[in-house]
């Protein structure tokens, strides 16, 4: 099973690769269409700003091939952090901007006057839907974000995290699974989650 | 619930790990890659690795060593030392750094912080401030010797897009005799982003004192892990006893 880690100039591809290498999962960091089409699994990582992320996906001409592989072919897909937020219909970071639109909803700034922003550090998630997160014992993951994904259809929410109020921590809909937290940075909890997902698809 | 963070800080001189006292007299304390391996096996919350002589010696941080350190870590890593450009930041993020720590360049040019934050997102821009009491107020220690009030500086940095502040109490550095509670309380009044309190931890009781008297959510330490038998886990166990949320 070969995973394409999408390189679109938005950071942390090396960390994702390190986690997959550790789990002995074949992978390639790429923005090449053929390599993405040949892969059995697609991961969209990313840190940084929403608009920059969308601009880069457009500049790397990745949107048509991702739409085709994930929405039409229903290839297993994971998105982490910005890679989850970009699935939204739109984002409001700095300026309004359309997202990939795979999961209906909007990415908005976290507003919690009593809390420090960004939401940074290890936090517990509450699993709201049976799925990939259910078998993971340790539900403590690493978050680092100032924006959150306000998901329209609550059916798509797999887990929430409380920081003043509940925010979306993970999304699952058919072949699409995405997390606001960083599994690749969450030590055993993250590695266990990734390995259970690969076991499911194996 | 968000857990408090206990962050080992590795300070580097370009060749080896060193530890200073009140920012002078660096003493060699080991090898960065080995240290990173140990901290990863101990499942620490986060790690910071800083080349504290890069700016002074007018050089860039050694990316090969940074890469070797990051390779050992399945937790978040923040890297600092000699960062002056968007390219420097990009070089570090590309090899797996989660955050970059900027000090000298933030004093020189706050527009750089704004540019960096817009480009990479506030979440990966950590500003390190060295604070000392001077003229009866807290001021930022800087090479140029300018008088900069801590209040003004932290506010400016937050406005420019800093995502996190590392607050170094210069006089407490390496002394292992407790944290500067007065300074931390003062800084808390203006800090809206996460803040890592650094300087003075020598035994678990110091951390209990810190967390009982302030709203501290993250602490960075070095000497206690180099020179005593205490580990990050010992500190967390102590904090759990006073009902602080910790990740065990």
């Amino acid at each position: 099973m070969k995973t394409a880690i999408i390189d679109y100039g938005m950071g942390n591809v090396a960390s994702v690769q390190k986690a997959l290498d550790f789990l002995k999962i074949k992978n390639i960091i790429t923005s090449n269409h053929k390599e993405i089409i040949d892969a059995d699994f697609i991961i969209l990582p990313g840190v940084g700003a929403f608009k920059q992320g969308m601009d880069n996906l457009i500049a790397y001409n990745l949107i048509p091939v991702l739409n085709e592989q994930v929405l039409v072919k229903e290839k297993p897909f994971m998105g982490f952090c910005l890679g989850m937020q970009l699935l939204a219909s739109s984002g409001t970071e700095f300026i309004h901007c359309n997202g990939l639109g795979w999961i209906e909803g909007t990415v908005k700034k976290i507003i919690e006057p009593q809390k420090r922003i960004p939401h940074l550090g290890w936090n517990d998630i509450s699993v709201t839907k049976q799925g990939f997160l259910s078998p993971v014992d340790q539900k403590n993951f690493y978050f680092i974000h100032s924006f959150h994904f306000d998901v329209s259809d609550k059916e798509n929410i797999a887990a929430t995290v409380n920081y003043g109020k509940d925010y979306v921590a993970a999304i699952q809909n058919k072949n699409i699974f995405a997390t606001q937290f960083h599994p690749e940075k969450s030590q055993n909890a993250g590695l266990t989650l990734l390995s259970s997902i690969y076991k499911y698809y194996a | 619930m968000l857990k408090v963070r206990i962050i080992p800080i590795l300070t580097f001189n370009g060749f080896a790990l060193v530890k200073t006292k009140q920012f002078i007299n660096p003493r060699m304390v080991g090898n960065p890659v080995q240290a990173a391996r140990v901290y990863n096996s101990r499942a620490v919350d986060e790690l910071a690795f800083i080349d504290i002589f890069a700016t002074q010696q007018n050089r860039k941080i050694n990316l090969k060593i940074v890469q070797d350190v990051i390779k050992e870590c399945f937790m978040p890593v923040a890297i600092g030392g000699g960062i002056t450009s968007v390219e420097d930041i990009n070089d570090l993020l590309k090899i797996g750094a989660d955050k970059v720590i900027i000090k000298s360049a933030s004093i020189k040019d706050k527009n750089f912080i704004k540019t960096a934050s817009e480009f990479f997102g506030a979440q990966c821009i950590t500003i390190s401030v060295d604070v000392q009491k001077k003229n009866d107020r807290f001021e930022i220690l800087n090479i140029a010797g300018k008088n900069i009030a801590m209040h003004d500086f932290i506010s400016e940095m937050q406005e420019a897009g800093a995502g996190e502040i590392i607050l170094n109490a210069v006089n407490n550095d390496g002394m292992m005799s407790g944290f500067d509670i007065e300074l931390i309380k003062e800084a808390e009044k203006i800090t809206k982003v996460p803040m890592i309190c650094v300087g003075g931890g020598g035994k678990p009781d110091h951390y209990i004192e810190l967390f009982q008297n302030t709203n501290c959510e993250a602490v960075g330490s070095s000497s206690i892990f180099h020179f005593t038998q205490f580990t990050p886990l010992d500190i967390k166990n102590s904090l759990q006893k006073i009902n602080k949320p910790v990740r065990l």
Side-chain angles (χ1 to χ4, degrees):
Chain A
M1 201 146 175
K2 192 168 186 187
T3 296
I5 303 167
I6 305 294
D7 177 13
Y8 61 118
M10 293 303 284
N12 81 350
V13 286
S15 310
V16 175
Q17 180 164 60
K18 185 172 60 178
L20 295 191
D21 285 348
F22 181 82
L23 296 170
K24 301 197 163 51
I25 290 158
K26 266 207 284 181
N27 66 82
I28 183 167
I29 294 174
T30 183
S31 49
N32 176 290
H33 287 200
K34 188 174 178 308
E35 286 173 341
I36 295 169
I37 292 165
D38 287 346
D40 309 295
F41 209 118
I42 295 171
I43 292 181
L44 186 65
V47 291
F50 190 94
K51 183 169 187 309
Q52 190 68 50
M54 279 314 288
D55 285 352
N56 284 20
L57 284 180
I58 293 166
Y60 284 65
N61 189 28
L62 285 164
I63 295 177
V65 67
L66 289 176
N67 281 338
E68 166 77 17
Q69 294 300 309
V70 180
L71 295 183
V72 182
K73 299 248 152 73
E74 298 199 352
K75 199 170 267 185
F77 171 91
M78 279 193 284
F80 305 146
C81 199
L82 181 64
M84 173 183 101
Q85 297 187 346
L86 291 174
L87 309 187
S89 328
S90 67
T92 57
E93 188 165 351
F94 301 117
I95 51 169
H96 184 91
C97 170
N98 285 334
L100 288 169
W102 296 355
I103 304 283
E104 209 181 307
T106 312
V107 173
K108 301 172 177 166
K109 202 167 177 55
I110 300 173
I111 298 177
E112 291 293 341
Q114 303 303 314
K115 300 273 184 191
R116 295 174 183 276
I117 308 291
H119 171 220
L120 195 175
W122 297 80
N123 207 338
D124 301 308
I125 61 164
S126 306
V127 177
T128 54
K129 180 163 127 178
Q130 286 297 314
F132 292 138
L133 286 159
S134 311
V136 183
D137 296 333
Q138 236 189 328
K139 302 257 186 323
N140 193 351
F141 293 92
Y142 189 77
F143 288 83
I144 177 166
H145 60 123
S146 313
F147 288 77
H148 71 100
F149 190 168
D150 187 1
V151 174
S152 307
D153 183 356
K154 304 295 171 233
E155 269 301 298
N156 289 329
I157 301 173
T160 60
V161 60
N162 191 280
Y163 194 58
K165 55 180 167 293
D166 285 343
Y167 291 99
V168 172
I171 286 169
Q172 192 164 0
N173 182 24
K174 294 194 285 190
N175 56 319
I176 296 170
F177 178 76
T179 62
Q180 179 59 65
F181 54 82
H182 286 274
E184 78 282 12
K185 286 285 163 181
S186 296
Q187 282 176 343
N188 284 345
L191 295 171
T192 310
L193 170 63
L194 292 177
S195 93
S196 78
I197 292 170
Y198 278 96
K199 268 190 200 127
Y200 173 86
Y201 283 115
Chain B
M1 199 172 190
L2 188 69
K3 310 289 184 276
V4 302
R5 290 177 288 152
I6 310 297
I7 304 166
I9 298 179
L10 302 175
T11 45
F12 186 62
N13 70 356
F15 300 99
L17 293 182
V18 289
K19 184 61 205 113
T20 53
K21 270 189 182 176
Q22 298 183 320
F23 279 40
I24 51 173
N25 299 328
R27 171 174 159 192
M28 296 258 235
V29 288
N31 170 298
V33 179
Q34 267 167 10
R37 190 175 305 146
V38 169
Y39 286 127
N40 184 65
S41 73
R42 288 186 173 159
V44 298
D45 298 327
E46 213 175 298
L47 193 68
F49 179 67
I50 309 170
D51 186 334
I52 53 173
F53 290 101
T55 298
Q56 204 178 310
Q57 296 171 357
N58 199 18
R59 55 176 171 77
K60 295 292 170 195
I61 193 164
N62 183 328
L63 290 175
K64 176 72 182 70
I65 290 172
V66 172
Q67 198 164 19
D68 290 345
V69 165
I70 293 176
K71 256 187 207 150
E72 299 294 333
C73 299
F74 286 94
M75 70 290 200
V77 190
I79 308 284
I83 295 169
T84 56
S85 68
V86 163
E87 290 71 46
D88 291 342
I89 299 174
N90 200 35
D91 285 345
L92 291 168
L93 297 182
K94 224 169 42 193
I95 57 174
D98 299 279
K99 298 187 280 191
V100 294
I101 302 167
I102 304 173
K103 187 168 80 179
S104 305
S106 69
I107 297 169
K108 238 190 227 160
D109 180 13
K110 71 172 178 229
N111 285 324
F112 169 54
I113 303 307
K114 190 161 183 282
T115 309
S117 179
E118 279 171 8
F119 205 93
F120 300 103
Q123 84 292 328
C124 73
I125 308 297
T126 297
I127 303 297
S128 180
V129 295
D130 300 340
V131 186
Q132 227 172 4
K133 208 164 198 179
K134 211 175 144 191
N135 309 323
D136 234 18
R137 62 172 193 174
F138 288 113
E139 292 196 354
I140 307 293
L141 182 73
N142 62 94
I143 309 173
K146 286 191 264 185
N147 294 321
I148 310 168
M150 174 180 76
H151 273 79
D152 300 343
F153 188 74
I154 291 181
S155 303
E156 273 178 23
M157 285 301 120
Q158 291 183 137
E159 214 162 289
E164 185 173 46
I165 301 285
I166 296 180
L167 183 75
N168 296 301
V170 176
N171 291 341
N172 296 48
D173 171 57
M175 303 310 283
M176 302 172 70
S177 54
F179 291 89
D180 189 339
I181 306 286
E182 187 200 350
L183 163 66
I184 292 161
K185 284 178 115 149
E186 206 48 44
E188 276 178 343
K189 289 182 190 160
I190 38 164
T191 312
K192 297 185 181 74
V193 297
M195 180 167 78
I196 303 172
C197 303
V198 182
K203 56 181 180 183
D205 282 352
H206 291 148
Y207 296 80
I208 291 180
E209 191 197 5
L210 169 67
F211 281 86
Q212 273 177 337
N213 292 294
T214 68
N215 298 313
C216 179
E217 289 173 354
V219 59
S221 280
S222 191
S223 298
I224 186 172
F225 305 133
H226 291 311
F227 306 129
T228 80
Q229 79 281 20
F230 296 117
T231 65
L233 184 62
D234 294 323
I235 297 171
K236 289 188 194 179
N237 283 331
S238 303
L239 293 177
Q240 197 183 31
K241 286 186 195 134
I242 59 162
N243 296 317
K244 287 287 166 188
V246 289
R247 172 178 162 266
L248 294 171

